[in-house]
Amino acid sequence: MMLPGPEQWLVPDWQPHSRVRALVTSRRGNHSPPPWDGFNLGDNCGDDSARVAAARAHLHQQIGTTKPPFWLTQVHGVRSVRYGDADRRADGACCDLVGHPCAVLTADCLPVLMARRDGSAVGAYHAGWRGLLAGMLEVGVQQLAPAGEPLSAWLGPAICQSCYQVGDQVRDAFMATDPGDGRGFREDGPGHWRMDMFTLARRRLQAVGVNDIHGGNLCTSCRLDEYYSYRRDGQTGRFATLIWLND
């Protein structure tokens, strides 16, 4: 059984402020057996709970933060909480304390990190198509920047347009909200479309004043050895996208 180290994880090429730290884990290692092959951090995908707890403890030890990552019970909604809130049923979390990592787990959905440009607060948000449509990112912006404080955002690994086919009902729902969202869909035969979550996320962030947007170029389904993909594999694990403040 092998636990991975930081050299097997991604440090985003994104520096909104010198206090901000960000990290994306991978599936590398063999801590969990098939079908969660690798370093699974998800506790709701069938893996042994003690094994997942050990993986999470290892991650905390490796990043060396004061507090462990704040793990959410993600529900594909638009609720966001603060680090330490008792009710963790949410799809986003923010924090303004040093050494308190916010985290989201994904395996095709889009993880979005945000930070105030002055380095005073950060947040992590989970957005699949339902979350994007319902306004998860707008909730995150309002949470982190209630007075319009300048924000920077980073779009983490998610399924790319070439790998993500959806039906008319999904495209129609987006078009009913904003006809301009049509640029996030490419026709793929009768009743089918290829959906670009990165483009749709950028549109939503820009609509609420966030124009400093980075990332959005890593596909979970294309990168078999790097990331978990539910669309590709069915039952599988989850990797984490984390953000925190450092001194």
Side-chain angles (χ1 to χ4, degrees):
M1 184 179 297
M2 183 186 74
L3 287 163
E7 69 279 359
Q8 295 170 296
W9 301 331
L10 170 68
V11 176
D13 183 17
W14 172 60
Q15 191 61 66
H17 191 276
S18 59
R19 300 182 72 210
V20 175
R21 299 288 183 271
L23 182 73
V24 183
T25 67
S26 72
R27 68 180 302 169
R28 291 181 177 177
N30 61 359
H31 181 64
S32 288
W36 313 279
D37 299 349
F39 188 62
N40 171 47
L41 293 162
D43 64 355
N44 65 343
C45 52
D47 200 353
D48 179 73
S49 59
R51 187 161 50 227
V52 173
R56 291 180 173 187
H58 174 74
L59 172 61
H60 180 211
Q61 186 272 328
Q62 291 295 305
I63 63 177
T65 52
T66 306
K67 295 292 185 178
F70 187 62
W71 302 108
L72 302 171
T73 301
Q74 297 169 198
V75 294
H76 292 276
V78 295
R79 181 170 181 262
S80 189
V81 297
R82 296 185 64 84
Y83 186 107
D85 280 3
D87 186 353
R88 300 190 184 204
R89 291 172 297 175
D91 287 87
C94 73
C95 192
D96 58 5
L97 302 174
V98 170
H100 290 56
C102 298
V104 289
L105 295 167
T106 56
D108 283 337
C109 290
L110 178 62
V112 179
L113 301 180
M114 299 188 207
R116 286 190 190 169
R117 296 294 298 273
D118 64 1
S120 62
V122 295
Y125 305 92
H126 160 248
W129 75 261
R130 291 178 179 84
L132 282 175
L133 178 64
M136 181 71 256
L137 301 187
E138 293 89 336
V139 168
V141 170
Q142 178 60 33
Q143 180 184 49
L144 270 182
E149 296 89 343
L151 295 179
S152 180
W154 184 77
L155 311 182
I159 193 166
C160 73
Q161 186 174 34
S162 295
C163 296
Y164 193 20
Q165 186 187 72
V166 299
D168 280 335
Q169 71 278 11
V170 175
R171 180 179 181 270
D172 290 349
F174 277 90
M175 295 291 284
T177 301
D178 180 358
D181 279 347
R183 69 190 64 178
F185 295 86
R186 185 179 71 232
E187 193 169 5
D188 191 37
H192 295 94
W193 304 85
R194 295 285 171 171
M195 177 175 167
D196 186 348
M197 288 199 293
F198 299 123
T199 291
L200 294 168
R202 289 188 187 99
R203 283 181 51 79
R204 275 160 168 67
L205 289 168
Q206 290 167 349
V208 289
V210 181
N211 293 299
D212 186 32
I213 305 169
H214 303 259
N217 57 358
L218 296 174
C219 175
T220 46
S221 184
C222 291
R223 294 171 176 257
L224 175 64
D225 297 330
E226 290 287 336
Y227 302 113
Y228 293 110
S229 170
Y230 180 80
R231 279 261 173 158
R232 183 189 62 214
D233 300 330
Q235 186 176 16
T236 191
R238 302 292 185 273
F239 65 90
T241 303
L242 307 99
I243 189 168
W244 67 95
L245 293 173
N246 202 28
D247 283 328

